[in-house]
Amino acid sequence: MSFACIYVPNFLLQALLYVESTLRDHSLAILDGHLSLPRIIALEEKARRAGVTLGMPQDHAELLGVTLRRRSFDAEKKLHQKLIKCALDFSPLVEDIAFSSHSSSNISANNHRGNWILLDLHGTERAHGSLKIISQKIKKRANQIGLHCNIGIAANPDTAIFAARGFSGVTIISPGCEAEQLKNLSVNLLNLIPDHQKIFFLWGIK
């Protein structure tokens, strides 16, 4: 049995660019928060090089000459629906495990937050080919709808998710190779609660 995870990094930014494609060449940063004091919650590389940082107030970012937009929950919903449809083209068993219209109280988490879908690939090889071929087809279909994504494929769902979130492009992990291939990934992928983060830090586990 195999599972695939389609992971869309920096989802907030990709969602906005999905509905405002003319901004793709801009130094773009996304705002959210209280109307009286919106702050940067996501940004692309050109905006970062211009000096924009996560949590920066809107008035400070405006001085750096970057393009600013408010977060679009509607755009995020539309793009997520496209992601689900993409997944259903390859498997009838799809688990939606990441989407929520939560607030931006945790700025750091929002900027790195992606959006991901889990697929059960059991039996799909007959229709779509080997796991390598399936992963290439999924990535091609995602690219066609304007999604930059990572794909992880493994024998269990957690490994597929960690592979997609931890590595760029397509990663296929064979059974028995999970520990070897995942061992250098950051423990931040585990979404540890603060108490566990402190314990891991004290133990020197990264």
Coordinates of all heavy atoms in Angstrom, one line a residue, residues 85-166:
K85 N -9.7 18.7 -6.2 CA -10.1 18.2 -7.5 C -8.9 17.5 -8.2 O -9.0 16.4 -8.8 CB -10.6 19.3 -8.4 CG -11.2 18.8 -9.7 CD -11.7 19.9 -10.6 CE -12.4 19.3 -11.8 NZ -11.4 18.6 -12.7
C86 N -7.7 18.1 -8.1 CA -6.5 17.5 -8.6 C -6.2 16.2 -8.0 O -5.9 15.2 -8.7 CB -5.3 18.5 -8.4 SG -3.7 17.8 -8.9
A87 N -6.4 16.1 -6.7 CA -6.1 14.8 -6.0 C -7.1 13.7 -6.4 O -6.8 12.6 -6.6 CB -6.2 15.0 -4.5
L88 N -8.4 14.1 -6.5 CA -9.5 13.2 -6.9 C -9.3 12.6 -8.3 O -9.9 11.6 -8.6 CB -10.8 13.8 -6.7 CG -11.3 14.1 -5.3 CD1 -12.6 14.9 -5.2 CD2 -11.5 12.7 -4.6
D89 N -8.6 13.3 -9.1 CA -8.3 12.8 -10.5 C -7.4 11.6 -10.4 O -7.3 10.8 -11.4 CB -7.6 13.9 -11.3 CG -8.6 15.0 -11.8 OD1 -9.8 14.7 -11.7 OD2 -8.1 16.1 -12.1
F90 N -6.7 11.3 -9.3 CA -5.8 10.2 -9.2 C -6.2 9.2 -8.2 O -5.6 8.1 -8.1 CB -4.4 10.8 -8.9 CG -3.8 11.6 -10.0 CD1 -4.0 13.0 -9.9 CD2 -3.2 11.1 -11.0 CE1 -3.5 13.8 -11.0 CE2 -2.7 11.8 -12.1 CZ -2.8 13.2 -12.0
S91 N -7.1 9.5 -7.3 CA -7.5 8.5 -6.3 C -8.9 8.9 -5.8 O -9.2 10.1 -5.5 CB -6.5 8.5 -5.1 OG -7.0 7.7 -4.1
P92 N -9.8 7.9 -5.6 CA -11.1 8.2 -5.0 C -11.0 8.3 -3.5 O -12.0 8.8 -2.8 CB -11.9 6.9 -5.4 CG -10.9 5.8 -5.4 CD -9.6 6.5 -6.0
L93 N -9.9 8.0 -2.9 CA -9.7 8.1 -1.4 C -8.8 9.2 -1.1 O -7.5 9.1 -1.2 CB -9.2 6.8 -0.9 CG -10.0 5.5 -1.1 CD1 -9.4 4.3 -0.6 CD2 -11.4 5.7 -0.5
V94 N -9.3 10.4 -0.8 CA -8.6 11.6 -0.5 C -8.9 12.1 0.8 O -10.1 12.2 1.2 CB -8.9 12.6 -1.6 CG1 -8.2 14.0 -1.3 CG2 -8.4 12.2 -3.0
E95 N -7.9 12.5 1.6 CA -8.1 13.1 2.9 C -7.7 14.5 3.0 O -6.5 14.8 2.6 CB -7.4 12.3 4.0 CG -7.7 12.8 5.4 CD -7.0 12.0 6.5 OE1 -6.3 11.0 6.2 OE2 -7.2 12.3 7.7
D96 N -8.6 15.4 3.3 CA -8.3 16.8 3.4 C -7.9 17.1 4.8 O -8.7 17.1 5.8 CB -9.6 17.6 3.1 CG -9.4 19.1 3.1 OD1 -8.3 19.5 3.4 OD2 -10.4 19.8 2.9
I97 N -6.6 17.3 5.1 CA -6.1 17.3 6.4 C -5.5 18.6 6.9 O -4.9 18.7 8.0 CB -5.0 16.2 6.6 CG1 -3.9 16.4 5.6 CG2 -5.6 14.9 6.6 CD1 -2.8 15.4 5.7
A98 N -5.5 19.7 6.0 CA -4.8 20.9 6.4 C -5.6 22.2 6.4 O -5.2 23.1 7.0 CB -3.5 21.0 5.5
F99 N -6.6 22.2 5.6 CA -7.2 23.5 5.4 C -8.1 24.0 6.5 O -8.9 23.3 7.0 CB -8.1 23.5 4.1 CG -8.6 24.9 3.7 CD1 -7.7 25.8 3.1 CD2 -9.9 25.2 3.9 CE1 -8.2 27.0 2.8 CE2 -10.4 26.5 3.5 CZ -9.5 27.4 2.9
S100 N -7.9 25.3 6.9 CA -8.8 25.9 7.9 C -8.6 27.4 7.7 O -7.5 27.9 7.5 CB -8.4 25.5 9.3 OG -7.1 25.9 9.6
S101 N -9.7 28.2 7.9 CA -9.6 29.6 7.8 C -9.3 30.2 9.2 O -10.1 30.9 9.8 CB -10.9 30.2 7.3 OG -11.1 29.7 6.0
H102 N -8.1 29.8 9.7 CA -7.8 30.3 11.0 C -7.2 31.7 11.0 O -6.8 32.2 10.0 CB -6.8 29.3 11.7 CG -5.5 29.2 11.0 ND1 -5.3 28.6 9.8 CD2 -4.3 29.7 11.3 CE1 -4.0 28.7 9.4 NE2 -3.4 29.4 10.3
S103 N -7.1 32.3 12.1 CA -6.6 33.7 12.2 C -5.1 33.6 12.0 O -4.5 32.6 12.0 CB -6.9 34.3 13.5 OG -6.2 33.6 14.6
S104 N -4.5 34.8 12.0 CA -3.1 34.9 11.8 C -2.3 35.3 13.1 O -1.4 36.0 13.1 CB -2.8 36.0 10.7 OG -3.3 37.2 11.1
S105 N -2.8 34.8 14.2 CA -2.2 35.2 15.4 C -0.8 34.7 15.5 O 0.1 35.3 16.2 CB -3.0 34.6 16.6 OG -3.2 33.2 16.5
N106 N -0.5 33.5 14.9 CA 0.8 33.0 14.9 C 1.5 33.3 13.5 O 1.3 32.6 12.6 CB 0.8 31.5 15.1 CG 2.2 30.9 15.2 OD1 3.2 31.5 14.7 ND2 2.3 29.8 15.9
I107 N 2.2 34.5 13.5 CA 2.7 35.0 12.2 C 3.7 34.0 11.6 O 3.6 33.7 10.4 CB 3.3 36.4 12.4 CG1 2.1 37.4 12.8 CG2 4.0 36.8 11.2 CD1 2.7 38.7 13.2
S108 N 4.6 33.5 12.4 CA 5.6 32.6 11.8 C 5.0 31.4 11.2 O 5.3 30.9 10.1 CB 6.6 32.2 12.9 OG 7.6 31.4 12.4
A109 N 4.0 30.8 11.9 CA 3.4 29.6 11.4 C 2.6 29.9 10.1 O 2.6 29.1 9.2 CB 2.4 29.1 12.5
N110 N 2.0 31.1 10.0 CA 1.2 31.4 8.8 C 2.1 31.5 7.6 O 1.8 31.0 6.5 CB 0.5 32.7 9.0 CG -0.9 32.5 9.5 OD1 -1.8 31.9 8.8 ND2 -1.2 32.9 10.7
N111 N 3.3 32.1 7.8 CA 4.1 32.3 6.6 C 4.6 31.0 6.1 O 4.7 30.8 4.9 CB 5.4 33.2 7.0 CG 6.2 33.5 5.8 OD1 5.8 34.1 4.9 ND2 7.5 33.0 5.8
H112 N 4.9 30.0 6.9 CA 5.5 28.7 6.5 C 4.4 27.7 6.3 O 4.6 26.6 5.9 CB 6.5 28.2 7.5 CG 7.7 29.2 7.6 ND1 8.6 29.3 6.6 CD2 8.0 30.0 8.6 CE1 9.5 30.2 7.0 NE2 9.2 30.6 8.1
R113 N 3.1 28.1 6.7 CA 2.0 27.1 6.5 C 1.8 26.8 5.1 O 1.7 27.7 4.2 CB 0.8 27.8 7.1 CG -0.5 27.0 6.9 CD -1.7 27.7 7.5 NE -2.9 27.0 7.1 CZ -3.7 27.4 6.2 NH1 -3.4 28.5 5.4 NH2 -4.8 26.8 5.9
G114 N 1.7 25.5 4.8 CA 1.3 25.1 3.5 C -0.1 24.6 3.5 O -0.9 24.8 4.4
N115 N -0.4 23.9 2.5 CA -1.8 23.3 2.4 C -1.6 21.9 1.8 O -0.9 21.8 0.8 CB -2.6 24.2 1.5 CG -4.1 23.8 1.6 OD1 -4.6 23.2 0.8 ND2 -4.8 24.3 2.7
W116 N -2.1 20.9 2.4 CA -1.8 19.6 1.8 C -3.0 18.6 1.8 O -3.9 18.7 2.6 CB -0.6 18.9 2.5 CG -0.7 18.7 3.9 CD1 -1.1 17.5 4.5 CD2 -0.2 19.5 5.0 NE1 -0.9 17.6 5.9 CE2 -0.4 18.8 6.2 CE3 0.3 20.8 5.0 CZ2 -0.1 19.4 7.4 CZ3 0.6 21.3 6.3 CH2 0.4 20.6 7.5
I117 N -2.9 17.7 0.9 CA -3.9 16.7 0.7 C -3.2 15.3 0.7 O -2.2 15.2 0.1 CB -4.6 16.9 -0.7 CG1 -5.3 18.3 -0.7 CG2 -5.6 15.8 -1.0 CD1 -6.5 18.4 0.2
L118 N -3.9 14.3 1.3 CA -3.3 13.0 1.3 C -4.2 12.1 0.4 O -5.4 12.1 0.5 CB -3.4 12.5 2.7 CG -2.6 11.1 3.0 CD1 -1.1 11.3 2.8 CD2 -2.9 10.7 4.4
L119 N -3.5 11.3 -0.4 CA -4.2 10.3 -1.3 C -3.8 8.9 -1.0 O -2.6 8.6 -0.7 CB -3.7 10.6 -2.8 CG -4.1 11.9 -3.4 CD1 -3.2 13.0 -2.9 CD2 -3.9 11.7 -5.0
D120 N -4.7 8.0 -1.0 CA -4.4 6.6 -0.9 C -4.3 6.0 -2.3 O -5.2 6.1 -3.1 CB -5.6 5.9 -0.2 CG -5.3 4.4 0.1 OD1 -4.5 3.8 -0.6 OD2 -6.0 3.8 0.9
L121 N -3.1 5.6 -2.6 CA -2.8 5.2 -4.0 C -3.0 3.7 -4.2 O -2.7 3.2 -5.3 CB -1.3 5.5 -4.4 CG -1.0 7.0 -4.4 CD1 0.5 7.2 -4.8 CD2 -1.9 7.8 -5.4
H122 N -3.5 3.0 -3.2 CA -3.7 1.5 -3.4 C -4.6 1.2 -4.6 O -5.7 1.7 -4.7 CB -4.4 1.0 -2.1 CG -4.6 -0.5 -2.2 ND1 -3.5 -1.4 -2.2 CD2 -5.7 -1.3 -2.2 CE1 -4.0 -2.7 -2.3 NE2 -5.3 -2.6 -2.2
G123 N -4.1 0.4 -5.5 CA -4.8 0.0 -6.7 C -4.8 1.0 -7.8 O -5.3 0.7 -8.9
T124 N -4.2 2.2 -7.6 CA -4.3 3.2 -8.7 C -3.2 2.9 -9.8 O -3.3 3.6 -10.9 CB -4.1 4.6 -8.2 OG1 -2.8 4.7 -7.5 CG2 -5.2 4.9 -7.1
E125 N -2.2 2.1 -9.5 CA -1.2 1.8 -10.5 C -1.7 1.3 -11.8 O -1.2 1.5 -12.8 CB -0.2 0.8 -9.9 CG 0.7 1.4 -8.7 CD 0.0 1.1 -7.4 OE1 -1.2 0.8 -7.4 OE2 0.7 1.0 -6.4
R126 N -2.8 0.5 -11.7 CA -3.4 0.0 -12.9 C -3.9 1.1 -13.9 O -3.8 0.9 -15.1 CB -4.6 -1.0 -12.6 CG -4.2 -2.2 -11.8 CD -5.4 -3.1 -11.5 NE -5.0 -4.3 -10.8 CZ -5.8 -5.3 -10.4 NH1 -7.1 -5.1 -10.7 NH2 -5.4 -6.3 -9.8
A127 N -4.4 2.1 -13.3 CA -4.9 3.2 -14.1 C -3.9 4.2 -14.5 O -3.9 4.8 -15.6 CB -6.1 3.9 -13.4
H128 N -2.9 4.5 -13.6 CA -2.0 5.6 -13.8 C -0.5 5.2 -14.0 O 0.3 6.0 -14.3 CB -2.1 6.6 -12.6 CG -3.4 7.2 -12.5 ND1 -4.0 8.0 -13.4 CD2 -4.4 7.0 -11.6 CE1 -5.2 8.4 -13.1 NE2 -5.5 7.8 -12.0
G129 N -0.2 3.9 -13.7 CA 1.2 3.5 -13.9 C 2.0 3.4 -12.6 O 1.4 3.4 -11.5
S130 N 3.3 3.3 -12.6 CA 4.1 3.1 -11.4 C 4.0 4.4 -10.5 O 3.5 5.4 -10.9 CB 5.6 2.9 -11.8 OG 6.1 4.1 -12.4
L131 N 4.5 4.2 -9.3 CA 4.5 5.4 -8.4 C 5.3 6.6 -8.9 O 4.9 7.7 -8.7 CB 5.1 4.9 -7.0 CG 4.3 3.9 -6.2 CD1 5.0 3.5 -5.0 CD2 2.9 4.4 -5.9
K132 N 6.4 6.3 -9.6 CA 7.1 7.4 -10.2 C 6.3 8.1 -11.3 O 6.3 9.3 -11.3 CB 8.4 6.8 -10.8 CG 9.3 7.9 -11.4 CD 10.6 7.3 -12.0 CE 11.5 8.5 -12.6 NZ 12.7 7.9 -13.1
I133 N 5.6 7.3 -12.1 CA 4.8 7.9 -13.2 C 3.6 8.7 -12.5 O 3.3 9.8 -13.0 CB 4.3 6.8 -14.1 CG1 5.4 6.3 -14.9 CG2 3.2 7.4 -15.1 CD1 5.1 5.1 -15.8
I134 N 3.0 8.1 -11.5 CA 1.9 8.8 -10.8 C 2.3 10.1 -10.3 O 1.6 11.1 -10.4 CB 1.3 7.9 -9.7 CG1 0.6 6.7 -10.3 CG2 0.3 8.7 -8.9 CD1 0.1 5.7 -9.3
S135 N 3.5 10.1 -9.6 CA 3.9 11.4 -9.0 C 4.2 12.4 -10.0 O 3.9 13.6 -9.8 CB 5.2 11.1 -8.2 OG 6.3 10.7 -9.0
Q136 N 4.7 12.0 -11.2 CA 5.0 13.0 -12.3 C 3.7 13.5 -12.8 O 3.6 14.7 -13.1 CB 5.8 12.3 -13.4 CG 7.3 12.0 -12.9 CD 8.0 11.1 -13.9 OE1 7.4 10.5 -14.8 NE2 9.3 11.1 -13.8
K137 N 2.7 12.6 -12.9 CA 1.4 13.1 -13.5 C 0.7 14.1 -12.5 O 0.1 15.0 -12.9 CB 0.5 11.9 -13.7 CG 0.8 11.0 -14.9 CD -0.1 9.9 -15.0 CE 0.1 9.0 -16.3 NZ -0.8 7.9 -16.4
I138 N 0.8 13.8 -11.2 CA 0.2 14.6 -10.2 C 0.9 16.0 -10.2 O 0.2 17.0 -10.2 CB 0.3 14.0 -8.8 CG1 -0.5 12.8 -8.7 CG2 -0.1 15.1 -7.7 CD1 -0.3 12.0 -7.3
K139 N 2.2 16.0 -10.3 CA 2.9 17.3 -10.3 C 2.6 18.1 -11.6 O 2.4 19.3 -11.5 CB 4.4 17.1 -10.2 CG 5.2 18.4 -10.0 CD 6.6 18.1 -9.6 CE 7.4 19.4 -9.3 NZ 6.8 20.2 -8.3
K140 N 2.5 17.4 -12.7 CA 2.1 18.1 -13.9 C 0.8 18.7 -13.9 O 0.5 19.8 -14.3 CB 2.2 17.1 -15.1 CG 1.9 17.7 -16.5 CD 2.1 16.7 -17.6 CE 1.7 17.4 -18.9 NZ 1.9 16.4 -20.1
R141 N -0.2 17.9 -13.3 CA -1.6 18.4 -13.2 C -1.6 19.6 -12.3 O -2.3 20.6 -12.6 CB -2.5 17.3 -12.7 CG -4.0 17.7 -12.6 CD -4.6 17.8 -14.0 NE -4.4 16.6 -14.8 CZ -5.2 15.5 -14.7 NH1 -6.2 15.5 -13.9 NH2 -4.9 14.5 -15.4
A142 N -0.9 19.6 -11.2 CA -0.9 20.7 -10.2 C -0.3 21.9 -10.9 O -0.8 23.0 -10.7 CB -0.1 20.3 -9.0
N143 N 0.8 21.7 -11.6 CA 1.4 22.9 -12.3 C 0.4 23.5 -13.3 O 0.5 24.7 -13.5 CB 2.7 22.4 -13.1 CG 3.8 22.1 -12.1 OD1 3.8 22.5 -10.9 ND2 4.8 21.3 -12.6
Q144 N -0.4 22.7 -14.0 CA -1.3 23.2 -14.9 C -2.4 24.1 -14.3 O -2.9 25.0 -15.0 CB -2.0 22.0 -15.7 CG -1.1 21.3 -16.6 CD -1.8 20.0 -17.2 OE1 -2.8 19.5 -16.7 NE2 -1.2 19.5 -18.3
I145 N -2.7 23.9 -13.1 CA -3.6 24.8 -12.4 C -2.9 25.9 -11.6 O -3.6 26.7 -10.9 CB -4.6 24.1 -11.5 CG1 -3.8 23.4 -10.3 CG2 -5.4 23.1 -12.3 CD1 -4.8 22.6 -9.4
G146 N -1.6 26.1 -11.8 CA -0.9 27.2 -11.3 C -0.3 26.9 -9.9 O 0.0 27.9 -9.2
L147 N -0.2 25.7 -9.5 CA 0.3 25.3 -8.2 C 1.8 24.9 -8.2 O 2.1 24.0 -9.0 CB -0.5 24.2 -7.6 CG -1.9 24.5 -6.9 CD1 -2.6 23.2 -6.6 CD2 -1.7 25.3 -5.7
H148 N 2.6 25.5 -7.4 CA 3.9 25.0 -7.1 C 3.8 24.1 -5.9 O 3.4 24.5 -4.9 CB 4.9 26.1 -6.8 CG 6.2 25.7 -6.2 ND1 7.1 24.9 -7.0 CD2 6.7 25.8 -5.0 CE1 8.1 24.6 -6.2 NE2 7.9 25.1 -5.0
C149 N 4.1 22.8 -6.1 CA 3.9 21.9 -5.0 C 5.0 20.9 -4.9 O 5.9 20.7 -5.8 CB 2.6 21.1 -5.2 SG 2.6 20.0 -6.6
N150 N 5.1 20.2 -3.7 CA 6.0 19.1 -3.5 C 5.1 17.9 -3.3 O 4.0 18.0 -2.8 CB 6.8 19.3 -2.2 CG 7.6 20.6 -2.2 OD1 8.1 21.0 -3.3 ND2 7.9 21.1 -1.0
I151 N 5.7 16.7 -3.7 CA 4.9 15.5 -3.6 C 5.8 14.4 -2.9 O 6.9 14.2 -3.2 CB 4.5 15.0 -5.0 CG1 3.6 16.0 -5.7 CG2 3.9 13.6 -4.9 CD1 3.3 15.6 -7.1
G152 N 5.2 13.8 -1.9 CA 5.8 12.8 -1.1 C 5.0 11.5 -1.3 O 3.8 11.5 -1.2
I153 N 5.7 10.4 -1.5 CA 5.1 9.1 -1.7 C 5.8 8.1 -0.8 O 7.0 8.0 -0.8 CB 5.1 8.6 -3.1 CG1 4.2 9.5 -4.0 CG2 4.6 7.1 -3.2 CD1 4.1 9.1 -5.5
A154 N 5.0 7.4 0.0 CA 5.6 6.4 1.0 C 4.6 5.3 1.3 O 3.4 5.4 0.9 CB 6.1 7.1 2.2
A155 N 5.0 4.3 2.1 CA 4.1 3.2 2.4 C 3.2 3.6 3.6 O 2.2 2.8 3.8 CB 5.0 2.0 2.8
N156 N 3.4 4.6 4.3 CA 2.5 5.1 5.3 C 2.2 6.6 5.2 O 3.1 7.3 4.7 CB 3.0 4.7 6.7 CG 4.2 5.5 7.1 OD1 4.1 6.7 7.5 ND2 5.4 4.8 7.1
P157 N 1.1 7.0 5.6 CA 0.7 8.4 5.4 C 1.6 9.5 6.0 O 1.9 10.5 5.5 CB -0.7 8.5 5.9 CG -0.9 7.3 6.8 CD 0.0 6.3 6.2
D158 N 2.0 9.2 7.3 CA 2.9 10.2 8.0 C 4.2 10.4 7.2 O 4.7 11.6 7.1 CB 3.2 9.7 9.4 CG 2.0 9.9 10.3 OD1 1.2 10.8 10.0 OD2 1.9 9.2 11.3
T159 N 4.8 9.3 6.7 CA 6.1 9.5 6.0 C 5.8 10.3 4.7 O 6.7 11.1 4.3 CB 6.6 8.1 5.7 OG1 6.9 7.4 6.9 CG2 7.9 8.2 4.9
A160 N 4.7 10.0 4.0 CA 4.4 10.7 2.8 C 4.3 12.2 3.1 O 4.8 13.1 2.3 CB 3.2 10.2 2.2
I161 N 3.6 12.6 4.2 CA 3.4 14.0 4.6 C 4.8 14.6 4.9 O 5.1 15.7 4.4 CB 2.5 14.1 5.8 CG1 1.1 13.7 5.3 CG2 2.5 15.5 6.3 CD1 0.1 13.5 6.5
F162 N 5.6 14.0 5.7 CA 6.9 14.5 6.1 C 7.8 14.7 4.9 O 8.5 15.7 4.7 CB 7.6 13.7 7.1 CG 6.9 13.7 8.5 CD1 6.8 12.5 9.2 CD2 6.4 14.9 9.0 CE1 6.2 12.5 10.4 CE2 5.8 14.9 10.2 CZ 5.7 13.7 10.9
A163 N 7.7 13.8 3.9 CA 8.6 13.9 2.7 C 8.1 15.0 1.9 O 9.0 15.8 1.4 CB 8.5 12.6 1.9
A164 N 6.8 15.2 1.7 CA 6.3 16.3 0.9 C 6.6 17.7 1.6 O 6.9 18.7 0.9 CB 4.8 16.2 0.7
R165 N 6.5 17.8 2.9 CA 6.8 19.0 3.6 C 8.3 19.3 3.7 O 8.7 20.5 3.8 CB 6.1 19.0 5.0 CG 4.6 18.9 4.9 CD 4.0 18.9 6.3 NE 4.4 20.1 7.1 CZ 4.4 20.1 8.4 NH1 4.1 19.1 9.1 NH2 4.7 21.2 9.0
G166 N 9.1 18.2 3.8 CA 10.5 18.4 4.1 C 11.4 18.5 2.9 O 12.5 19.1 3.0

